[in-house]
Amino acid sequence: MSNPSIIDFTGILGAFLAAATGLALSLGVGYALSRLVSRLAGSSNRNIPMYWLLFCGLFFIVSLYAIIRTGGLSILSPVPLLIAALLYYLHTRPDPIPSQGNRKEESFLLLFSFLAQFVFFVCTFQSFDPQSIKYVAGDFNIYYRMANRLNEFGIEAYNFNITRVPSHPSPYHFGDIWLYALSNRFVSLNPSVSFLTSFSILSPVFTLGMYALVNSIFPSLLQGKKKYLLGLLAFSGLFGGFSICFPGFLRAYAEPYTLAIFSWGKVLLLSTALAGILIACSKRQLQLVVLSACLAGLLYINAIPAIYMSVFFLLTLLLLRKQLSGKQWFRLHVLLVGITVTTVLALYKLYPMLHPAAPALPEAASSGFLHGLPPGKYIKTAINIFIGGWFQVFTILPFLLLLAAIVFFHKGFRSLFAQVRQLDLSAYFLAFLFLSGLISWALLFPLSVDAVQFFHNILAPVYSILITMIVFYTLSSGASAVLKSATVAVALLSVYFSWTSVFYASNANRQDWESARTFFREEQTPPGIVNIKSMNELSYWSAKKTDQYLPLGFLCYLWPGYSNVNLNTPFIGLSDGVYAFEEQKDIEGASFSTFRKKSIEAGLSDETGIINKFLSDYKVRYIFVSTDTALPAYLRLKITDSVLLKNSDFTVYRITEEN
């Protein structure tokens, strides 16, 4: 049985070898693709930064696996063609993007960053407290299970209902999840080992992207400053904001906005893609900007609203400055939107129409986009979201003050406006990305409570990249020793807070873990498990997603296919807010809710009989009950054994197999 703390040396070694092999294979495939495209293009220009080779090779492999596994019905289906087009452009571009460094320097940074970042990820998954263990929880527990379902069914669907197999693809950020699925094919199915492998592949790609970006933006500052650059970039993914700088009356809303990308691994993929967009911006290669944005959108669909709106703002700025013609502006937008819209419509609209399957899960009643929300309240809430989101700038205020001090003491504020006008396009794009994410969240919040991801998913990459640029600039621009010391101190504080606030790792009591392992020791495959919670526990919106967020998530380390059905789900009350429609959809689509509805339609109306039938049909052998909730009397007769996990607030009952 696997251990959540991944203290097993074999698991760590396996992840290390798998990640190293993944990086080497990505680099090899990227180089081979580059050579092939170069020959087809009749170009001898092969001076392409290692970042592009890694990025193209990695996501060519991931997308190819997705295409094969789904039979072509994947959001990643256009990715190989886009990668070929991107490499073709890099080989035939009129204005080259030189490496500025050399392969020896890039190779050193790749190796150093991989080793340093792998150690960081091992430490974040490893508990050094003898009384506790660490395990992957929350959203990452969901992504791990989704990755396993991708391997099992080959269908890109966000569906955990055990009463049905997913039939049609549905939208989600599958670029990173397919990478997890691919990792699960070659390493232990322990979630920590899977994510350790995947994160350790993605993070050096981001580092090499930052290396290429800094070389592109600050070539004049790099003379004699390589020591700053190489040391800084390996840890640039650890830079985040400071929640302590957030206004006190709003501080509860500062997280997870202040997290750095290494502490919030889901946005690592988006960060690697964003580095490419910014490199293209810095060289004003707009076709490359569009191709990179398309790749980012298809790989991480949550980012489409913010990234595409940012491209629109950037191209419109150039149009107004008369640096871009109206015809060019139109063609670039057709390319950007056309690829994505065609893919999304074909996959999520046309295919289900041509291949009707079993009835869809119940949809909550709603009245259009606003779901019954009065227009006045929609406008007021959107304005509040937009205004409130700007307070997030306070979380990086120390870095902005340091930058202002550099500008003041070296050039004075009189020239500030002129400097802003001459800013690199990548700086404009970062600013537009913050603005676009905020607009997307404010305008689309009625769609789902998760619409906030349109903003905070892009904020961590924006902060990590912006802070890296600021730190490098202050250290290399001839600032005073006081300012340099202050910059180093603030950067180290940012790294420290990031290190102590890892989003994907949770702690559980070691005694509970050992008790559970002992109690389930005879179960080699996941048994049928249900749970009963108090209604107070099910009052929060995420708790109502009973199929997604499972109790005792560390049991995934015993069985990768672990699932647990809540028997209270049909009776959960709805909130009165704008997201009541979404809660209703989660409740009605949950496993036991759909089973209960079908049973009633079949003529079985007795609640006890319905539960007994569910226990029998799904061979349920265990019931988890919250410690403050009584086990129903008719179930007590079935108990054969039990264990109290007092630190996890659950009692686990083993029941008779004959239900």
Side-chain angles (χ1 to χ4, degrees), residues 174-193:
F174 285 105
D176 60 321
I177 297 176
W178 273 115
L179 176 59
Y180 310 148
L182 190 56
S183 296
N184 286 350
R185 287 291 192 187
F186 297 99
V187 298
S188 163
L189 288 180
N190 179 317
S192 290
V193 177

Side-chain angles (χ1 to χ4, degrees), residues 143-155:
Y143 305 150
Y144 169 72
R145 292 161 58 215
M146 289 184 70
N148 287 335
R149 289 175 73 86
L150 287 178
N151 284 333
E152 181 180 1
F153 299 115
I155 300 174

Side-chain angles (χ1 to χ4, degrees), residues 609-630:
I610 293 174
I611 291 177
N612 282 331
K613 188 175 188 306
F614 186 90
L615 299 179
S616 176
D617 287 0
Y618 289 95
K619 297 178 174 58
V620 174
R621 294 193 60 215
Y622 295 92
I623 301 177
F624 298 172
V625 181
S626 300
T627 52
D628 62 350
T629 304

Side-chain angles (χ1 to χ4, degrees), residues 623 631-640 654-656 658:
I623 301 177
L631 183 69
Y634 67 90
L635 291 176
R636 293 176 192 165
L637 301 175
K638 301 175 181 291
I639 296 172
T640 61
R654 183 182 291 124
I655 62 176
T656 57
E658 295 181 1

Side-chain angles (χ1 to χ4, degrees), residues 57 88 90 101 135 160 184 236 244 247 254 419 480 487 508 520 536 589 620 644:
Y88 180 85
L90 289 174
Y135 67 98
F160 298 96
N184 286 350
S236 59
I244 194 173
Q419 292 176 51
S480 66
T487 300
F520 291 113
N536 184 53
V620 174
L644 172 63

Side-chain angles (χ1 to χ4, degrees), residues 359-566:
L361 292 175
E363 294 286 344
S366 63
S367 55
F369 168 74
L370 296 182
H371 301 286
L373 184 70
K377 187 173 183 179
Y378 166 73
I379 295 172
K380 181 180 179 181
T381 305
I383 292 174
N384 287 338
I385 289 174
F386 183 77
I387 294 175
W390 284 100
F391 283 106
Q392 293 298 334
V393 174
F394 280 91
T395 62
I396 58 168
L397 191 60
F399 291 103
L400 297 178
L401 291 176
L402 285 169
L403 180 62
I406 293 290
V407 173
F408 178 79
F409 286 112
H410 283 268
K411 299 181 180 179
F413 282 117
R414 290 185 178 180
S415 63
L416 183 59
F417 182 73
Q419 292 176 51
V420 169
R421 287 182 56 84
Q422 297 172 5
L423 276 177
D424 190 281
L425 284 187
S426 59
Y428 281 112
F429 190 85
L430 277 177
F432 288 148
L433 198 55
F434 182 97
L435 175 64
S436 300
L438 201 49
I439 292 174
S440 301
W441 177 23
L443 294 182
L444 301 176
F445 78 89
L447 288 177
S448 165
V449 67
D450 289 330
V452 66
Q453 295 190 26
F454 299 150
F455 178 54
H456 72 52
N457 277 17
I458 58 94
L459 200 57
V462 167
Y463 277 4
S464 289
I465 292 171
L466 179 61
I467 293 171
T468 301
M469 297 294 103
I470 291 174
V471 172
F472 176 74
Y473 181 75
T474 55
L475 292 179
S476 60
S477 61
S480 66
V482 173
L483 285 175
K484 286 185 177 180
S485 299
T487 300
V488 171
V490 172
L492 290 176
L493 276 174
S494 179
V495 169
Y496 171 77
F497 285 123
S498 178
W499 186 287
T500 57
S501 302
V502 177
F503 187 70
Y504 45 77
S506 293
N507 291 298
N509 181 269
R510 188 176 295 275
Q511 183 178 354
D512 283 357
W513 163 248
E514 296 297 343
S515 296
R517 285 210 300 179
T518 301
F519 192 68
F520 291 113
R521 64 183 179 273
E522 64 187 60
E523 305 288 354
Q524 300 302 314
T525 57
I529 298 175
V530 296
N531 71 80
I532 300 174
K533 293 184 177 182
S534 68
M535 287 303 173
N536 184 53
E537 291 179 276
L538 298 168
S539 60
Y540 188 63
W541 69 269
S542 63
K544 296 176 183 178
K545 298 176 180 287
T546 56
D547 282 3
Q548 292 94 318
Y549 294 97
L550 306 178
L552 305 180
F554 55 72
L555 290 181
C556 280
Y557 290 77
L558 298 183
W559 316 290
Y562 162 61
S563 62
N564 191 339
V565 174
N566 181 271

Side-chain angles (χ1 to χ4, degrees), residues 579-614:
Y579 299 115
F581 77 95
E582 186 176 358
E583 292 181 359
Q584 182 181 347
K585 183 177 179 181
D586 290 329
I587 291 170
E588 292 184 357
S591 295
F592 184 64
S593 295
T594 57
F595 181 89
R596 178 175 178 270
K597 181 180 179 180
K598 291 179 180 178
S599 298
I600 293 174
E601 291 173 349
L604 184 60
S605 59
D606 176 58
E607 293 294 343
T608 301
I610 293 174
I611 291 177
N612 282 331
K613 188 175 188 306
F614 186 90

